Amino acid sequence: MTRRLLVLMMAVAALVLAVAACGGDDDDEETEEPAAAETTTEEGDDGGGGATTLELATDPAGELAFDQTTLEAPAGEVTIHLVNEAQIPHNVAIEGMGVDEVSETITGGETDLTVTLEPGEYTFYCAVGGHREAGMEGTLTVE
Ligand SMILES: [Cu+2]
């Protein structure tokens, strides 16, 4: 009786292993990294959350536009690294969920805006007069 049960359990275990191996093969055909290649995540020392840097650039030719209209980040400390190669002043601001922060305004350079964000939907935009209205805004989704 006990031996029969043991054989049955081993048979079940073998079946589970076979199914797991099969599933593993399927996973190999998919890419593990999401498409957001420009997002880098550094692990924090405290083990929870961590800091994320998002790359954002303005149109180098001088159009009133960012190179992206959607950004995504995990909750926690988020830095937007803004590159502005145009000879026009730009900045980057984040608003939403009670957050309202603006980076320094730069012309032909780069700057960082670091904020701590909770999950939710935010708007990023250029706070230089008229630029947001001209289209320099987008959505930052934090999960
Ligand atoms: Cu601007």
Side-chain angles (χ1 to χ4, degrees), residues 8 13 15 22 30-31 33 45 65 74 76 86-87 93 100 112 117 122 125 128 134 139:
L8 181 65
L15 188 64
C22 196
E30 293 168 17
T31 318
E33 286 297 311
D45 291 334
Q87 292 305 307
D100 190 6
D112 287 330
L117 302 176
Y122 301 81
Y125 64 98
V128 173
T139 303

Side-chain angles (χ1 to χ4, degrees), residues 69-125:
T69 54
T70 58
L71 294 172
E72 291 177 24
E77 192 174 284
V78 178
T79 297
I80 295 183
H81 178 70
L82 177 69
V83 176
N84 176 23
E85 292 180 0
Q87 292 305 307
I88 295 174
H90 290 300
N91 57 34
V92 60
I94 295 177
E95 74 174 13
M97 305 281 294
V99 174
D100 190 6
E101 298 283 344
V102 188
S103 74
E104 64 174 325
T105 301
I106 52 165
T107 303
E110 44 197 272
T111 188
D112 287 330
L113 175 63
T114 301
V115 287
T116 300
L117 302 176
E118 294 178 0
E121 202 153 280
Y122 301 81
T123 300
F124 67 91
Y125 64 98

Side-chain angles (χ1 to χ4, degrees), residues 64 89-91 126 128 131 136:
L64 297 181
H90 290 300
N91 57 34
C126 177
V128 173
H131 289 200
M136 293 191 79

